[in-house]
Amino acid sequence: IALVSVSGGKDSTATALLAIERLPPQSRQFIFADTGNEHDLTYDYVYNYLPKALGIKIDVVRADFSVEIARKRENLQRIANGESESVVYGGRVFKHKWTKEAAARALELLHPSGNPYLDLCMSRGGFPSRKRQFCTQHLKSEPLTEFADLLLDKKFFVESWQGVRANESINRRDLPEREVVGGGLSIYRPILTWTAEQVFALLKERGIEPNPLYKLGMKRVGCMPCINAAPTEVLEIARRFPEHVKRISEWEKLVASVCRPTATPTFFHGSRVGIRGRPGYPITKTI
């Protein structure tokens, strides 16, 4: 079975079109990994427009960090009770000079929110960065892999269709079009050698509208905002979608409240976005 990942972007939409045209309905399945950090227009595009326009069903997967948050709460509870001075995460011991008072305050706020992105950041005690881009792994790759594993357990051979293009980044430049992972799983990248112009041309030819965010001037329509967004993109998001800046600002405050007392977690790291070349500025100061 072809497991086609749909993100709401132009590339994954083109990949879905190719799967529809090349494969019979019983041999393809479409899936969307909801990060919890998407624009409302993307959700509407994936949940409403694409299923109707393409005549398909799109399954949804979401990462769940309730176990990780529960484990962190146990550590904080021991600190609040005076039984420990450190937090254990992923088998590592972190001594961050937690006080009983700070741990007690964190316990009041540290609960699963149901939003995968926010819960990931609260459990990790900080936001992903360009150098530590754990968001893609935990919010997309792992939930999609778990879904594929369910199909493999049912004795299906799974071919993961991925809408990636080689000229998008250096990391994707040397990817093969086809790749055998093993255990009944393989990967197919049907538009690997395509250009963005070819992708948009296919959508236009088939009468499929791209995500409305493109027409609003956005270059990327995944996470809103994405940690990889350029300063100009962040400013454009702030101008067009101030509610998203407000949401991230609220997330920064909440994550800071459940993070080690000496930390100041920010959504954007380093001087590539921060003003006056100073890292660690909250998003409200970034813009």
Side-chain angles (χ1 to χ4, degrees):
I1 188 168
L3 186 59
V4 186
S5 179
V6 178
S7 68
K10 64 184 186 304
D11 295 335
S12 71
T13 301
T15 301
L17 273 170
L18 295 178
I20 292 171
E21 295 175 358
R22 297 177 184 178
L23 302 171
Q26 67 273 17
S27 298
R28 45 181 164 82
Q29 191 164 353
F30 303 87
I31 187 165
F32 169 62
D34 179 11
T35 66
N37 187 29
E38 315 285 342
H39 194 282
D40 291 342
L41 290 175
T42 295
Y43 284 125
D44 183 65
Y45 187 73
V46 172
Y47 291 157
N48 299 310
Y49 176 77
L50 283 181
K52 293 178 182 178
L54 301 180
I56 61 175
K57 175 190 175 185
I58 300 178
D59 291 301
V60 180
V61 292
R62 297 181 182 87
D64 183 358
F65 300 97
S66 56
V67 172
E68 289 82 355
I69 289 178
R71 188 179 301 120
K72 185 173 182 178
R73 284 185 56 82
E74 291 175 359
N75 289 321
L76 289 171
Q77 188 64 65
R78 284 194 288 270
I79 296 174
N81 294 340
E83 301 170 8
S84 173
E85 295 181 353
S86 61
V87 171
V88 180
Y89 185 86
R92 298 172 60 192
V93 178
F94 297 87
K95 293 185 177 180
H96 294 313
K97 298 182 180 179
W98 279 92
T99 64
K100 293 182 180 180
E101 294 74 19
R105 287 195 299 269
L107 281 169
E108 293 179 2
L109 298 172
L110 183 59
H111 300 280
S113 68
N115 182 296
Y117 200 105
L118 177 57
D119 286 350
L120 170 63
C121 296
M122 287 197 297
S123 67
R124 295 288 294 252
F127 293 90
S129 66
R130 198 168 190 179
K131 293 183 178 180
R132 296 176 61 250
Q133 198 165 317
F134 54 79
C135 47
T136 301
Q137 175 188 346
H138 294 299
L139 298 175
K140 289 191 175 183
S141 299
E142 290 179 357
L144 291 171
T145 298
E146 289 176 5
F147 192 90
D149 286 341
L150 293 176
L151 295 176
L152 291 171
D153 289 341
K154 295 179 181 179
K155 307 305 179 183
F156 284 103
F157 287 97
V158 179
E159 186 175 61
S160 174
W161 283 45
Q162 301 176 359
V164 300
R165 294 182 295 106
N167 64 4
E168 285 184 290
S169 67
I170 295 178
N171 292 334
R172 295 180 175 182
R173 183 176 56 192
D174 297 324
L175 287 174
E177 183 177 345
R178 292 187 181 274
E179 184 178 350
V180 177
V181 178
L185 176 65
S186 62
I187 299 173
Y188 178 40
R189 305 176 177 96
I191 63 169
L192 185 66
T193 60
W194 289 33
T195 64
E197 291 72 22
Q198 288 176 301
V199 170
F200 280 119
L202 176 67
L203 300 187
K204 184 177 181 180
E205 182 180 305
R206 301 298 191 271
I208 302 299
E209 291 290 330
N211 189 313
L213 289 172
Y214 289 118
K215 295 183 178 180
L216 293 177
M218 296 293 102
K219 294 181 179 180
R220 66 181 81 233
V221 299
C223 283
M224 183 62 67
C226 174
I227 57 171
N228 289 321
T232 53
E233 291 180 89
V234 178
L235 291 172
E236 191 66 16
I237 291 171
R239 185 176 71 85
R240 293 177 179 268
F241 314 116
E243 68 277 11
H244 284 272
V245 173
K246 180 181 179 182
R247 170 174 56 81
I248 295 299
S249 178
E250 293 172 349
W251 283 6
E252 287 179 330
K253 295 175 184 177
L254 179 55
V255 173
S257 298
V258 300
C259 191
R260 62 188 188 274
T262 56
T264 307
T266 56
F267 191 84
F268 290 109
H269 298 256
S271 59
R272 59 184 298 271
V273 176
I275 60 175
R276 293 191 296 278
R278 296 177 60 186
Y281 265 77
I283 191 170
T284 50
K285 290 187 177 182
T286 297
I287 59 174

